[in-house]
C-alpha cells in the first residue's frame, strides 16, 4: 500500500514538473528575445549610419528565432492566402517580413530606454499570450501583448498587440481592402515599393 | 474490505492523474476562454463608413495640416518649452478633466475607479499644485488603468459605433464617440471660459499634446499600405478594447 502511494506521489510530481516546465516557457523565451533586441539597439558600436546594415542583419537574425513570419503573413492575408501559389506565398512572406520587422523595430526602439515589465502569460496549448507593459519615463503605461504559438519546443510570436491594436488584424484589413478594390498584384507592388 | 480499499485507491489515482494530465487545458479554459479571438484567423473589424470619399478628403486635409502647420508649430513649441514643463502642462489638463472620468466611471458602475479618480483629483489639485504634478499617480501609485469617457459609457450600454467620421483637425471618431465628446465637453471646465479664451486654451492644450507625440503619426504612415484604413482600423480596435475594459 505504502509503496503504491510513494510510486503514485512520485508520478504525480513528475506530471506536475512536466506540466510546469511546459507551461512556463513562452514568457521566458520571449523575454530572452526582446532583451537581445534591445541589447543590439543599444550597442554603441552599431550606432553610426554605416553600421545600419549590420545592425539590421543582427536584429533580423534574433527576431526570426522568435517570430513566425509565415504564420503572420497567412493570418494577415486570411482568405486570400488560400488562392495563392507556393511561389507567391514565399515572395509575400519575404516582403511582409521586411515591413513587419521595420514596424516592430521602430516601436521597440522608441521603448528601449523605458522599462519593460512582463506581467503575465496565459497558455491554452498550442496558443499562449504574454502580456507586457512598457513604462515610459513619464510613467505612462503602454500595454504590448504577444500572441505565441507552439512549434515543437519553441514558442513563436504570430501577432503583436500594441495598446489593444493587433498588428496582424490591422494589416488584414488593409490587405483585404487593397485586394478587393484593385488586385493581389497591386498589393504586392505596393508592398514592394514600401520595403525595397 | 482490503480489496475494496485498494480498488477505491486506484480509482482515485486514475481520476487524479487524469485531472493533472488535463490540468493545463482545464486551467487555461478558465483564464483564456473569454478571449478566444486568437482562433479567429480571418476576422476583420468593421465599421460602417458611408462617408468614406468625404472622410478620405478630410484625412488628406488633416495630413497636410499636420505636416505644414501643426507639426512645425509643435516642434517650435517643444524647442522653447522643456519636456518636463510640457509633461506638467499635460498633467494639468488631465487633472482638470477629472470630472469627465469620475462621471463616466459612475455611469458605468465602476464605483472604485470613480473613487480613485476623485481622490486623485483632490490630491493632485492640492499636493500636486493645481495638478501640474501627478502626485497621486506618480508618488502614490494611485492610478486608474483606463481613462473613461462618454463614448465608452455609451458603448458599454450597448450602443454601436454608428458610422466612422474623420473630423478636420480632431481626426478619427465615430458617430457615437462624437456624441460622447460633445457630452464630455460639458464637464470640461475650459469650455466655461469665454469663447475666445476657451479656444486659446484648447489650442495650447492641443499643441502641448502634439509636441509630446511627435513622430507617432509618421510611424503609422510609414508602416501602412493604406494609411486611411490603417488608422481607421487602429481607432476601432483601440476603442473596442477600451469599451471591453
Amino acid at each position: 500500500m505504502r509503496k503504491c502511494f510513494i510510486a503514485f506521489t512520485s508520478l504525480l510530481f513528475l506530471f506536475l514538473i512536466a506540466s510546469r516546465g511546459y507551461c512556463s516557457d513562452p514568457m521566458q523565451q520571449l523575454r530572452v528575445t526582446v532583451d537581445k533586441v534591445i541589447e543590439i539597439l543599444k550597442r554603441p558600436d552599431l550606432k553610426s549610419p554605416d553600421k545600419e546594415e549590420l545592425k539590421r542583419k543582427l536584429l533580423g537574425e534574433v527576431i526570426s528565432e522568435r517570430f513566425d513570419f509565415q504564420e503572420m503573413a497567412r493570418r494577415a492575408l486570411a482568405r486570400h492566402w488560400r488562392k495563392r501559389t507556393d511561389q507567391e506565398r514565399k515572395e509575400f512572406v519575404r516582403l511582409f517580413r521586411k515591413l513587419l520587422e521595420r514596424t516592430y523595430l521602430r516601436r521597440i526602439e522608441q521603448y528601449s530606454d523605458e522599462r519593460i515589465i512582463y506581467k503575465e502569460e496565459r497558455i491554452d496549448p498550442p496558443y499562449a499570450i504574454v502580456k507586457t507593459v512598457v513604462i515610459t519615463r513619464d510613467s505612462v503605461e503602454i500595454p504590448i501583448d504577444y500572441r505565441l504559438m507552439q512549434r515543437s519546443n519553441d514558442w513563436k510570436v504570430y501577432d503583436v498587440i500594441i495598446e489593444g491594436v493587433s498588428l496582424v488584424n490591422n494589416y488584414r484589413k488593409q490587405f483585404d481592402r487593397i485586394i478587393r478594390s484593385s488586385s493581389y498584384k497591386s498589393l504586392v507592388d505596393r508592398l514592394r515599393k514600401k520595403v525595397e | 474490505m482490503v480489496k475494496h480499499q485498494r480498488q477505491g485507491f486506484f480509482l482515485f489515482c486514475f481520476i487524479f492523474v487524469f485531472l493533472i494530465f488535463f490540468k493545463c487545458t482545464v486551467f487555461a479554459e478558465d483564464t483564456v476562454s473569454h478571449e478566444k479571438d486568437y482562433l479567429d484567423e480571418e476576422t476583420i473589424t468593421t465599421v460602417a463608413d458611408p462617408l468614406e470619399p468625404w472622410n478620405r478628403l478630410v484625412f488628406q486635409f488633416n495630413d497636410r495640416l499636420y505636416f505644414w502647420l501643426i507639426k512645425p508649430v509643435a516642434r517650435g513649441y517643444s524647442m522653447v518649452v522643456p519636456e518636463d514643463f510640457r509633461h506638467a502642462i499635460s498633467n494639468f489638463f488631465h487633472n482638470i478633466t477629472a470630472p469627465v472620468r469620475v462621471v463616466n466611471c459612475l455611469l458605468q458602475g465602476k464605483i472604485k475607479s470613480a473613487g480613485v479618480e476623485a481622490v486623485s483629483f483632490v490630491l493632485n489639485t492640492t499636493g500636486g499644485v493645481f495638478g501640474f504634478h501627478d502626485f497621486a499617480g506618480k508618488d502614490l501609485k494611485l492610478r486608474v488603468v483606463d481613462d473613461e469617457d462618454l463614448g465608452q459609457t455609451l458603448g458599454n450600454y450597448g450602443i454601436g459605433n454608428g458610422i466612422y467620421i474623420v473630423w478636420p483637425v480632431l481626426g478619427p471618431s465615430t458617430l457615437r464617440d462624437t456624441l460622447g465628446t460633445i457630452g464630455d465637453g460639458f464637464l470640461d471646465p475650459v469650455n466655461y471660459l469665454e469663447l475666445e479664451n476657451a479656444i486659446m486654451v484648447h489650442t495650447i492644450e492641443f499643441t502641448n499634446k502634439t509636441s509630446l507625440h511627435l513622430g507617432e503619426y509618421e510611424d503609422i504612415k510609414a508602416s501602412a499600405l493604406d494609411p486611411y484604413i490603417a488608422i481607421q482600423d487602429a481607432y476601432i480596435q483601440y476603442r473596442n478594447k477600451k469599451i471591453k475594459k
Side-chain angles (χ1 to χ4, degrees):
Chain A
M1 191 69 202
R2 223 189 125 120
K3 245 187 202 162
C4 191
F5 182 72
I6 290 169
F8 172 69
T9 333
S10 31
L11 196 68
L12 191 106
F13 264 107
L14 212 72
F15 270 117
L16 272 176
I17 290 163
S19 69
R20 282 300 307 167
Y22 176 70
C23 286
S24 66
D25 261 350
M27 188 189 278
Q28 192 49 41
Q29 292 188 0
L30 179 73
R31 191 198 296 253
V32 169
T33 302
V34 174
D35 285 351
K36 276 190 200 161
V37 168
I38 289 174
E39 198 188 296
I40 294 172
L41 288 173
K42 279 186 173 169
R43 259 170 66 175
D45 56 315
L46 293 175
K47 282 251 160 45
S48 64
D50 56 310
K51 291 279 166 59
E52 194 60 31
E53 204 166 311
L54 178 66
K55 187 160 113 181
R56 275 275 144 78
K57 200 177 145 251
L58 289 171
L59 286 168
E61 280 165 15
V62 171
I63 288 177
S64 61
E65 282 171 15
R66 190 63 51 221
F67 285 66
D68 186 339
F69 290 106
Q70 171 155 344
E71 183 66 19
M72 287 174 142
R74 188 181 73 79
R75 283 170 176 259
L77 271 185
R79 59 198 184 87
H80 305 291
W81 175 264
R82 289 191 285 273
K83 295 171 206 152
R84 307 275 67 92
T85 64
D86 279 352
Q87 196 58 38
E88 284 174 321
R89 286 177 182 175
K90 233 177 166 176
E91 175 66 358
F92 186 81
V93 172
R94 189 182 70 82
L95 293 170
F96 188 41
R97 175 199 173 128
K98 278 193 172 172
L99 183 64
L100 277 172
E101 273 183 0
R102 253 203 247 169
T103 308
Y104 176 73
L105 285 176
R106 213 192 312 256
R107 283 302 189 124
I108 212 75
E109 195 159 20
Q110 281 167 9
Y111 303 146
S112 56
D113 291 331
E114 329 282 4
R115 237 158 14 109
I116 299 179
I117 292 177
Y118 293 80
K119 262 192 145 164
E120 61 167 316
E121 62 180 346
R122 294 174 181 171
I123 301 166
D124 183 7
Y127 300 103
I129 181 162
V130 175
K131 295 185 176 250
T132 74
V133 171
V134 175
I135 300 180
T136 64
R137 280 199 303 122
D138 47 315
S139 57
V140 174
E141 299 190 357
I142 301 158
I144 301 184
D145 298 348
Y146 295 83
R147 291 194 185 284
L148 300 101
M149 228 180 183
Q150 202 175 27
R151 294 259 189 262
S152 61
N153 279 326
D154 271 345
W155 286 93
K156 299 274 191 181
V157 176
Y158 69 85
D159 197 1
V160 182
I161 298 139
I162 302 170
E163 287 194 271
V165 178
S166 143
L167 266 187
V168 170
N169 284 12
N170 195 268
Y171 280 118
R172 186 182 301 145
K173 172 109 191 214
Q174 294 180 57
F175 294 167
D176 184 59
R177 167 53 75 89
I178 293 167
I179 293 172
R180 278 193 298 123
S181 61
S182 37
S183 66
Y184 175 75
K185 196 184 160 296
S186 84
L187 169 68
V188 175
D189 288 344
R190 274 162 102 157
L191 198 52
R192 191 171 284 127
K193 226 171 93 191
K194 196 102 202 167
V195 297
E196 280 175 353
Chain B
M1 193 61 201
V2 177
K3 204 177 170 190
H4 262 341
Q5 244 180 10
R6 190 168 280 183
Q7 263 180 354
F9 180 73
F10 276 122
L11 186 68
F12 171 75
C13 288
F14 178 72
I15 292 170
F16 216 115
V17 171
F18 186 83
L19 281 178
I20 295 286
F21 202 70
F22 287 94
K23 179 188 138 269
C24 251
T25 343
V26 173
F27 177 69
E29 279 286 316
D30 289 343
T31 50
V32 195
S33 60
H34 61 277
E35 37 178 319
K36 283 273 188 199
D37 33 345
Y38 51 78
L39 295 179
D40 292 334
E41 295 179 10
E42 308 205 343
T43 318
I44 290 176
T45 15
T46 48
V47 59
D49 193 1
L51 305 178
E52 188 176 332
W54 169 250
N55 280 341
R56 277 192 189 262
L57 276 179
V58 180
F59 184 82
Q60 272 301 319
F61 170 77
N62 286 345
D63 181 83
R64 299 281 152 80
L65 189 72
Y66 176 76
F67 286 108
W68 292 351
L69 182 69
I70 297 172
K71 191 180 174 183
V73 170
R75 257 227 180 109
Y77 171 85
S78 69
M79 278 181 224
V80 180
V81 186
E83 197 178 337
D84 289 346
F85 245 79
R86 287 182 277 138
H87 282 303
I89 291 169
S90 154
N91 288 340
F92 171 80
F93 283 114
H94 189 259
N95 189 53
I96 59 168
T97 49
V100 175
R101 297 187 296 276
V102 174
V103 168
N104 283 296
C105 283
L106 289 175
L107 288 173
Q108 293 177 48
K110 295 175 178 169
I111 308 299
K112 200 181 149 209
S113 300
V116 174
E117 290 283 9
V119 170
S120 301
F121 176 68
V122 173
L123 289 174
N124 285 341
T125 308
T126 53
V129 199
F130 302 116
F132 283 109
H133 176 62
D134 184 15
F135 176 57
K138 214 161 190 176
D139 303 324
L140 305 176
K141 306 286 171 228
L142 203 61
R143 203 189 299 273
V144 177
V145 206
D146 190 32
D147 286 354
E148 297 296 342
D149 56 50
L150 190 55
Q152 291 177 65
T153 303
L154 296 173
N156 197 276
Y157 292 168
I159 296 169
N161 279 309
I163 59 169
Y164 182 67
I165 306 170
V166 182
W167 289 104
V169 190
L170 302 175
S173 188
T174 63
L175 187 58
R176 180 198 62 212
D177 291 343
T178 302
L179 292 175
T181 309
I182 294 169
D184 286 336
F186 288 103
L187 291 172
D188 183 346
V190 175
N191 294 336
Y192 289 92
L193 297 171
E194 266 177 64
L195 185 66
E196 277 168 49
N197 292 338
I199 291 172
M200 202 182 72
V201 175
H202 277 308
T203 309
I204 294 170
E205 183 183 3
F206 184 79
T207 310
N208 190 70
K209 193 177 170 190
T210 312
S211 78
L212 292 169
H213 295 274
L214 284 173
E216 287 176 14
Y217 174 65
E218 290 87 329
D219 276 353
I220 296 175
K221 242 186 114 175
S223 54
L225 290 185
D226 182 342
Y228 174 81
I229 295 291
I231 286 178
Q232 181 202 63
D233 180 71
Y235 179 80
I236 299 297
Q237 279 198 53
Y238 176 71
R239 293 296 292 177
N240 285 350
K241 179 83 178 194
K242 279 194 104 165
I243 288 163
K244 256 204 250 165
K245 268 192 211 159

